[in-house]
Amino acid sequence: MKLFFTRSFGRDYNRLPPRIQKHIDTQLIRLLENPKHPSLGTKKIKGTASIWEGRVTREYRFTFQIQGDAYIIRRVGTHDILKTP
């Protein structure tokens, strides 16, 4: 699998503190290695056809889609990003 990042993700990521950015980096590596890793808590977002969420910390999440052999990383932030995946 490969990772691709949307512009929205890039903007979100750059606004976050470096400590959270490191957590995100770690979790994205985990996503590549084992998408079912317990710390990711990956699950499909209800009411969407193909958008998933993954856990960064207790407060932060990221959203993504799966297209072929790629993860399209869409957004990252607090739980509020789940309202606008």
Side-chain angles (χ1 to χ4, degrees):
M1 295 292 274
K2 301 172 192 169
L3 294 179
F4 292 97
F5 303 96
T6 64
R7 286 186 195 152
S8 297
F9 175 84
R11 283 191 297 268
D12 295 341
Y13 182 91
N14 289 329
R15 291 180 183 143
L16 296 172
R19 171 181 71 81
I20 299 299
Q21 289 177 353
K22 288 181 184 180
H23 284 291
I24 294 165
D25 297 345
T26 298
Q27 292 301 77
L28 292 176
I29 290 168
R30 284 192 176 131
L31 179 66
L32 287 172
E33 293 174 349
N34 177 8
K36 294 183 181 183
H37 191 282
S39 73
L40 286 169
T42 54
K43 61 182 177 181
K44 198 174 254 188
I45 296 177
K46 291 180 183 177
T48 67
S50 62
I51 301 174
W52 294 72
E53 73 170 275
R55 187 181 313 123
V56 176
T57 67
R58 287 180 67 178
E59 296 85 22
Y60 289 87
R61 302 289 186 267
F62 65 94
T63 63
F64 65 97
Q65 288 179 282
I66 302 168
Q67 290 184 355
D69 68 342
Y71 294 114
I72 310 300
I73 311 300
R74 300 169 47 90
R75 302 292 311 268
V76 64
T78 61
H79 284 124
D80 291 340
I81 66 148
L82 300 178
K83 295 175 186 170
T84 56

